[in-house]
Amino acid sequence: MSTGGMVKAIFFTLLTLGFFFVIWIKNPFAHKEVYEVPEEVAGIIWDPKAVSEGRELFIQTCSSCHSVRYDGLYLLSLEAKPEWKKILRTMGKPIFEEREGKLRIKGYYLPRDVYETVAFQDLENLKASFGKVPPDLSTIYLARGPGYLYQFIMDPQKVLPGTFMPKLFLPEYDKEAPEKVAKIVAYLRSVSEPPPSEKVKRTVMGAVTVGYFLLMGFVLWFYRRRLLERMGLH
Ligand code: HEC
């Protein structure tokens, strides 16, 4: 390779590395976290053991207004109806859960349009009381991140002035309020993330794709002269 070629190769390699560094590692366009989780409860949010307690707390405190369709949780007013189970079984897709090595149905997933149709009246009632339908929280963790969720649930008015979402945990009266809120955030995190088996599958798929391109790149580079000759370009 000539010196010029070498300089060019180094230049383009650095350019490519620089590009991926900016996109993946130091992205100036990425959303900056302005809301923080206090250190005392930060560990809870990533603790897998906090998830099931967070789910129970969510059912008790939040499911009168919010659904989590990805986890098969729907408004309490719907769950109380005798025909609701049948609607879920006929229109929903089962969500499986592994417990003691056995798969069992944990709940049913309903696509958004189906849900908004079958739950129309209940959602309208909420809208009449709160000005808008409280959103489904299946992917809220991905959209807002842990800091925002923690601060918002602790004190909705402080984060979103004028919101109709009530303050449900009062640290003045309930010493465990910060932990409870962190457990709910842990639950919302667990719902928005793919299960471990799915994560492994995606990682393998990514590695295979990158490997394929590397291999193809190498093969093309190796046979470049012969290919160019065949095309009559060399
Ligand atoms: C009495 C009804 C009610 C209850 C109970 C309730 N919420 Fe809400 N929530 C709302 C409403 C209404 C909104 C829409 C707020 C808005 O956009 O102004 C909302 C919005 C939200 C949002 C979205 C905020 C955003 O930035 O878009 C999150 C997250 C949330 N609630 C979490 C919770 C959690 C967690 C609980 C249980 C601890 C809960 N809510 C209990 C009514 C409720």
Side-chain angles (χ1 to χ4, degrees), residues 180-197:
K180 287 182 181 165
V181 171
K183 282 175 186 165
I184 291 179
V185 177
Y187 165 64
L188 292 173
R189 179 191 59 75
S190 76
V191 175
S192 69
E193 277 188 350
S197 60

Side-chain angles (χ1 to χ4, degrees), residues 135-167:
D136 181 89
L137 299 179
S138 302
T139 57
I140 197 81
Y141 182 88
L142 293 178
R144 304 277 194 261
Y148 178 99
L149 289 181
Y150 178 84
Q151 299 293 348
F152 178 74
I153 301 165
M154 283 302 278
D155 196 348
Q157 287 300 333
K158 215 160 107 191
V159 174
L160 213 64
T163 182
F164 282 105
M165 156 106 178
K167 184 169 173 173

Side-chain angles (χ1 to χ4, degrees), residues 27-40:
N27 189 336
F29 308 109
H31 171 75
K32 289 237 170 33
E33 198 68 56
V34 268
Y35 299 99
E36 280 173 10
V37 185
E39 233 166 87
E40 312 89 79

